Amino acid sequence: MAPRSATAFAQYVDASRTECASFDDGVLAIEYSQIDQTTDFDGDGLADAIFDSAGLNCSTSASFSGGTGGTILSIFLSADGGTRQMQMQGYQILHSRRVPILLLALHGSACDRYGYQACFAAYSFVDGSFVAAGGAVRE
């Protein structure tokens, strides 16, 4: 993992550990296999780390990492060391000729539908933000 990404990820894990402990002294387990380092979103030549919070398990909270709305996808950018987070039910990365595209499966309510109904959004990283046809993702 790139140094800035590693620092941001370590801070994320520390905050998650503290939050888990606040639930009746829970103990956090991390599935490091949930780290994906295959894509360079910010264009600096280094892969940006992606982590699905489904890989966080708190011993005292069954819903610690998510619920019916999905889990949090965190992207740790290597260029600025920043983190971008989005709620999702699944993701896939598509590679176009110009920029990688992040395809998210979302809770139906994100598309003004019922929660169980399919909803998808595609994002690219432009000028420091993930953007879609509808505009920038709220951070």
Side-chain angles (χ1 to χ4, degrees):
M1 193 178 297
R4 288 183 178 171
S5 296
T7 299
F9 182 73
Q11 292 169 344
Y12 171 78
V13 168
D14 287 345
S16 298
R17 202 171 263 123
T18 299
E19 183 179 355
C20 175
S22 74
F23 296 111
D24 297 324
D25 294 322
V27 176
L28 186 71
I30 303 164
E31 294 177 35
Y32 289 98
S33 63
Q34 291 288 337
I35 299 173
D36 178 346
Q37 297 183 80
T38 60
T39 306
D40 177 16
F41 286 106
D42 56 23
D44 67 349
L46 300 171
D48 300 309
I50 302 168
F51 185 75
D52 180 348
S53 68
L56 299 176
N57 297 297
C58 181
S59 63
T60 55
S61 175
S63 61
F64 182 77
S65 63
T68 59
T71 58
I72 301 296
L73 184 70
S74 298
I75 301 171
F76 303 92
L77 299 168
S78 55
D80 66 7
T83 305
R84 306 300 188 278
Q85 295 183 313
M86 295 172 250
Q87 188 166 2
M88 54 93 203
Q89 294 182 331
Y91 79 96
Q92 185 168 1
I93 299 166
L94 307 172
H95 296 278
S96 71
R97 284 187 276 162
R98 293 184 32 198
V99 296
I101 298 166
L102 177 63
L103 179 64
L104 297 182
L106 304 171
H107 188 270
S109 63
C111 296
D112 295 325
R113 303 175 65 96
Y114 293 108
Y116 67 89
Q117 293 177 312
C119 175
F120 297 91
Y123 302 95
S124 58
F125 192 76
V126 179
D127 296 329
S129 295
F130 280 93
V131 295
V137 174
R138 294 177 297 237
E139 296 178 20

